[in-house]
Amino acid sequence: MSVQTAKRRLSPANIEALKGERPIVSLTAYTTPIARLLDPHVDFLLVGDSLGMVLYGLDTTVGVTLDMMIAHGQAVMRGSERSCVVIDLPFGSYQESKEQAFRSAARILKETGCSAVKLEGGAEMAETVDFLVSRGIPVLGHVGLMPQLVNTTGGYRSVGRNEKEVAKIRRDAKAIDDAGAFAIVVEGTVEPVAREITASLRSPTIGIGASPACDGQILVSDDMLGIFNDFKPRFVKHFAELAPAISKAVEDYANEVKARTFPGIEHTFQLKGVR
Ligand code: KIV
């Protein structure tokens, strides 16, 4: 009889417990093959609503639906076995009321098997975060630059550059921390603010464009792999340049098809006995 050791995923509580232990590693993933490649190296995979821009060519994340998030969440769950998977609540699926947020988050957990959701918002979302957490839904917060608010904030500008903005991000981070988030994404802010928030919160901060002072880091995987090159914010580092590699591969393929050198004999099925 073979004894199989069940492989256990990291839980939101495991992620929370990493604060003060070591930096937390995270990337976005939207598909099964990419999740498979990322899974051995990260603590959590975020199925971010950035998939609207990265995969679907939308201008903002506002058009992303709950069905899109669930379909991609299922794909990422199929491609991973050890990392904690967190799925974004998309715009319009949680802001109306805490009850609406619970219904959307419960659908995500039930239909994908993931263990947590992320939502954007500060003090105004604290009651919702508390409602979800106290009813069994772990929440990853998201403060600072909040892409779902692009239509009211007017763009993707970093925040925390004046006293009013610093006071707001401080207030927002504390409110989401007090509400019970297991970790908080801090996006697009200056280093002193990120450092202060990280030192003052119970939960770990996960920075994106928020300096090395955070407890962990997250990037959009297509950005750091050099696939999504529509724009490159200052905080993105290309750890690979896959876009030119893909272009070159496709150019070579096109040339070989035109020259009839592909498919070769080694790629061609033959009748048995015929050479
Ligand atoms: O949607 C997303 O990918 C995100 C990360 C950038 C944090 O929210």
Side-chain angles (χ1 to χ4, degrees), residues 223 231-237:
D223 283 343
F231 53 86
K232 182 177 172 298
R234 176 191 166 95
F235 60 81
V236 170
K237 173 175 173 180

Side-chain angles (χ1 to χ4, degrees), residues 66 89 91-106 128 131-132:
L66 197 51
L89 282 166
F91 181 74
S93 73
Y94 65 98
Q95 292 92 341
E96 193 181 323
S97 67
K98 52 194 193 308
E99 289 80 8
Q100 185 208 25
F102 184 84
R103 275 192 301 280
S104 300
T128 297
F131 190 83
L132 297 185

Side-chain angles (χ1 to χ4, degrees), residues 49-266:
D49 62 354
S50 51
L51 63 79
M53 300 165 81
V54 174
L55 295 189
Y56 290 85
L58 299 174
D59 286 338
T60 72
T61 56
V62 173
V64 174
T65 66
L66 197 51
D67 286 340
M68 285 158 83
M69 296 310 301
I70 288 173
H72 287 280
Q74 289 167 340
V76 168
M77 286 297 289
R78 285 192 287 269
S80 59
E81 56 182 21
R82 62 164 296 282
S83 47
C84 179
V85 174
V86 183
I87 300 182
D88 256 342
L89 282 166
F91 181 74
S93 73
Y94 65 98
Q95 292 92 341
E96 193 181 323
S97 67
K98 52 194 193 308
E99 289 80 8
Q100 185 208 25
F102 184 84
R103 275 192 301 280
S104 300
R107 235 197 104 191
I108 289 182
L109 262 60
K110 279 171 183 284
E111 294 182 30
T112 68
C114 81
S115 46
V117 296
K118 175 165 82 60
L119 59 80
E120 292 180 15
E124 76 289 356
M125 292 309 301
E127 193 187 353
T128 297
V129 172
D130 176 68
F131 190 83
L132 297 185
V133 173
S134 59
R135 284 160 181 76
I137 301 181
V139 176
L140 174 62
H142 184 150
V143 302
L145 192 168
M146 293 181 257
Q148 291 182 10
L149 299 187
V150 60
N151 288 314
T152 46
T153 54
Y156 299 110
R157 197 181 59 81
S158 62
V159 296
R161 292 180 184 277
N162 58 51
E163 260 320 306
K164 193 171 162 217
E165 285 182 359
V166 172
K168 175 169 164 39
I169 189 169
R170 245 188 225 133
R171 200 170 50 242
D172 283 348
K174 174 149 179 26
I176 297 301
D177 190 48
D178 289 346
F182 71 88
I184 302 179
V185 169
V186 179
E187 178 163 358
T189 196
V190 292
E191 178 159 10
V193 173
R195 188 173 297 286
E196 181 201 315
I197 291 173
T198 300
S200 68
L201 298 187
R202 166 197 53 81
S203 54
T205 56
I206 310 296
I208 174 160
S211 85
C214 295
D215 293 303
Q217 297 292 327
I218 185 164
L219 282 175
V220 169
S221 47
D222 295 60
D223 283 343
M224 59 84 78
L225 293 172
I227 301 174
F228 184 72
N229 290 331
D230 289 10
F231 53 86
K232 182 177 172 298
R234 176 191 166 95
F235 60 81
V236 170
K237 173 175 173 180
H238 283 186
F239 286 80
E241 294 293 350
L242 296 193
I246 293 170
S247 287
K248 174 76 173 60
V250 176
E251 186 186 348
D252 290 351
Y253 166 75
N255 288 338
E256 289 194 24
V257 169
K258 288 177 196 158
R260 294 193 184 281
T261 53
F262 176 84
I265 192 79
E266 68 277 32

